[in-house]
Amino acid sequence: MQKDTLVFNLIRQELERQRRGIELIASENFTSLQVMQAMGNVMTNKYAEGYPGRRYYGGCEIVDQTEQLAIDRLKQIFNIEYANVQPHSGAQANAALMLAILQPGDAILGLDLSMGGHLTHGAAVNFSGKLYQPHFYGVTKEEGLIDYNMLEAQARKVKPKLIICGASAYSRDIDYARIRKVADEVGAFVMADIAHPAGLIAKGLLGNPFEHCHFVTSTTHKTLRGPRGGVIMMGKDFENPFGLKDVKGNVRMMSNLIDMAVFPGTQGGPLEHVIAAKAVAFGEILTDEFTQYAKQVQLNAQAMAKAFVAKNYQIISGGTDNHLMLIDLRNKNISGKKAEQVLGMADITANKNMVPFDDKSAFVTSGIRFGVAAVTTRGCKEEHMNFIVDAIDTVLMNADNQAIIEQTKKSVNDWMLQFPLYPELG
Ligand SMILES: Cc1ncc(COP(=O)(O)O)c(C=O)c1O
């Protein structure tokens, strides 16, 4: 067959784009070469509906071993009893978990999207807001911290079946114990979606959600630095207290109900090639090298936040505990949309983001979100954060000056040469 030069040329161009720029999208990272290699393998050819040892197809004896390895390693990382590594993405993980424990029309309570939450936590445009009855809590106007009083009041008022914590744009740790307390009071389950800070939680650098939450979901491609994908986990398996039944009317252990909600509930055949790559990434997370990486991510985020504050940028909540920060640009007289656009012109990639109590639409926004997981993988340390913040500030303060943006782009490209990306790929 003729090589598809069109597509492979585009892949090459994407590699060059990733190499020359400063990647600050908080949900992105660079996997190791072996994680990528594990993803592009013959397991993409294999159907394996079911779970290791209980499949609906023959020939699964090898993929059974990789999937079991991924499960075992993930359980070891978080010291937990249950893991399902089949969800194709974070959104799929959340959909499956909700399918396992909710009925259509059940009330759910999550962090508002415009306050840092995620689409799958009840947004009107998402399955979670359409199938279930969504309610929200927010952050406080003064401090930008989760408004636990509001969360508790809402929980008592709407009596949700599920309280969701975790966020896409929240830079502080979460008080899981406090959320569990009100959940027990109103008879709700608690799910933590740790898609963003999972890599830091894995190394004990943030509070442990497994001690307090019934369920934990995550993506695998952000701070966990694995292939794109999702997982569902439980610290302890349990016989469900609300008598949730499977389709045959049997009360089952939660692990059975979750497994069934992933397959056949929401997915068909698992992506065994991606699961192989998850297994490799989980193996990497278990090393001391990853511990150093996770610590460096946190140090870099704090150094970056400090550098922004020194330039009078308004970080929501004043700083960060994890790998990201959300900046309100209103005092800098530039919208999130324009900031994203001009930074892109200087090869600095970030995304516009609504800030709490934003007066601009989600397409324009007053804010921008920065994360350091990717630049830390490139090799950046605290001392490099000043260069990055200086470059960002130069671009934002000269957003209509083509010459300065072009000059900054050149210095960004030169600067990134000291942090090689996939040198093995030539
Ligand atoms: C908190 C949270 N949950 C879920 C997701 C969804 O993950 P995916 O894009 O893999 O579906 C994201 C993605 O950004 C997220 O931030």
Side-chain angles (χ1 to χ4, degrees):
M1 208 174 294
Q2 216 183 358
K3 184 162 178 185
D4 190 336
T5 47
L6 194 57
V7 173
F8 282 96
N9 277 341
L10 289 171
I11 293 172
R12 187 79 212 172
Q13 283 175 43
E14 174 60 14
L15 171 62
E16 295 308 329
R17 187 196 68 80
Q18 292 185 12
R19 278 179 171 165
R20 68 173 177 261
I22 298 179
E23 181 53 71
L24 296 174
I25 292 181
S27 41
E28 293 190 12
N29 209 330
F30 301 107
T31 71
S32 67
L33 189 63
Q34 64 168 351
V35 166
M36 275 202 299
Q37 284 166 339
M39 212 177 336
N41 81 73
V42 292
M43 289 181 186
T44 192
N45 301 327
K46 188 75 201 91
Y47 246 108
E49 286 179 355
Y51 289 96
R54 44 198 172 103
R55 306 278 191 185
Y56 289 85
Y57 286 81
C60 291
E61 53 283 0
I62 312 292
V63 294
D64 272 7
Q65 292 176 54
T66 40
E67 186 166 337
Q68 196 55 53
L69 205 51
I71 293 168
D72 293 342
R73 286 179 176 174
L74 186 58
K75 282 161 67 171
Q76 195 184 340
I77 289 168
F78 289 105
N79 192 21
I80 54 174
E81 275 183 8
Y82 168 80
N84 186 311
V85 297
Q86 290 194 1
H88 301 331
S89 72
Q92 292 282 101
N94 290 348
L97 196 268
M98 290 185 209
L99 183 78
I101 61 171
L102 298 173
Q103 293 299 320
D106 278 352
I108 59 174
L109 177 61
L111 179 63
D112 200 310
L113 181 63
S114 68
M115 301 267 174
H118 188 257
L119 283 165
T120 54
H121 300 180
V125 291
N126 185 260
F127 77 89
S128 55
K130 289 189 166 175
L131 290 181
Y132 309 111
Q133 188 199 119
H135 298 274
F136 299 101
Y137 56 92
V139 300
T140 58
K141 199 159 191 174
E142 311 72 46
E143 297 148 309
L145 298 174
I146 287 176
D147 189 341
Y148 292 97
N149 291 333
M150 180 183 185
L151 187 159
E152 287 163 351
Q154 281 284 76
R156 289 181 187 121
K157 189 169 148 211
V158 305
K159 302 258 182 314
K161 282 272 171 55
L162 175 67
I163 301 178
I164 304 164
C165 55
S168 292
Y170 185 68
S171 61
R172 296 301 188 177
D173 207 352
I174 290 173
D175 190 344
Y176 302 109
R178 187 165 173 186
I179 297 173
R180 176 60 185 263
K181 200 155 170 264
V182 71
D184 284 344
E185 185 191 315
V186 302
F189 283 123
V190 182
M191 165 192 139
D193 177 347
I194 61 168
H196 270 273
L200 305 192
I201 291 170
K203 294 298 175 179
L205 302 173
L206 291 168
N208 183 355
F210 294 96
E211 286 171 12
H212 307 286
C213 304
H214 300 90
F215 315 107
V216 178
T217 59
S218 184
T219 55
T220 46
H221 46 273
K222 298 183 173 101
T223 51
L224 285 180
R225 210 162 69 179
R228 309 196 73 76
V231 291
I232 305 178
M233 302 170 279
M234 282 190 291
K236 285 210 174 311
D237 195 3
F238 58 100
E239 215 175 301
N240 70 79
F242 306 138
L244 297 173
K245 296 189 176 77
D246 67 11
V247 281
K248 291 187 182 136
N250 300 316
V251 175
R252 304 281 295 265
M253 292 297 284
M254 271 320 311
S255 52
N256 298 129
L257 293 176
I258 295 173
D259 281 349
M260 285 192 300
V262 175
F263 170 81
T266 49
Q267 293 186 176
L271 309 177
E272 290 296 342
H273 57 305
V274 176
I275 290 173
K278 285 175 178 170
V280 174
F282 297 158
E284 291 178 355
I285 294 166
L286 286 165
T287 64
D288 292 341
E289 207 180 318
F290 194 91
T291 310
Q292 288 315 314
Y293 164 72
K295 285 182 181 162
Q296 193 63 53
V297 166
Q298 210 173 28
L299 291 173
N300 285 352
Q302 279 157 16
M304 176 178 273
K306 205 167 143 208
F308 273 122
V309 169
K311 290 186 185 295
N312 195 27
Y313 281 83
Q314 313 265 298
I315 299 181
I316 304 296
S317 87
T320 180
D321 297 330
N322 55 30
H323 64 301
L324 66 79
M325 65 211 69
L326 179 60
I327 296 182
D328 186 339
L329 291 167
R330 280 178 285 199
N331 68 329
K332 298 288 182 183
N333 293 320
I334 184 167
S335 69
K337 183 181 176 187
K338 173 101 180 185
E340 177 188 307
Q341 191 191 357
V342 289
L343 287 172
M345 286 159 63
D347 282 345
I348 299 170
T349 320
N351 65 286
K352 63 177 180 284
N353 212 106
M354 287 183 91
V355 293
F357 309 97
D358 208 325
D359 49 3
K360 296 193 184 75
S361 76
F363 290 107
V364 180
T365 82
S366 298
I368 191 145
R369 186 183 66 158
F370 295 118
V372 299
V375 288
T376 307
T377 299
R378 291 292 296 262
C380 290
K381 302 274 190 303
E382 293 103 297
E383 63 267 25
H384 298 117
M385 295 301 115
N386 280 332
F387 175 90
I388 296 176
V389 172
D390 282 346
I392 291 170
D393 185 52
T394 303
V395 171
L396 297 188
M397 292 305 100
N398 297 280
D400 294 314
N401 188 326
Q402 283 296 328
I404 291 184
I405 292 174
E406 194 51 43
Q407 203 183 316
T408 310
K409 175 184 152 93
K410 201 177 169 319
S411 71
V412 162
N413 297 157
D414 290 346
W415 191 73
M416 284 315 292
L417 290 173
Q418 67 185 302
F419 305 109
L421 181 66
Y422 306 123
E424 304 87 342
L425 299 180

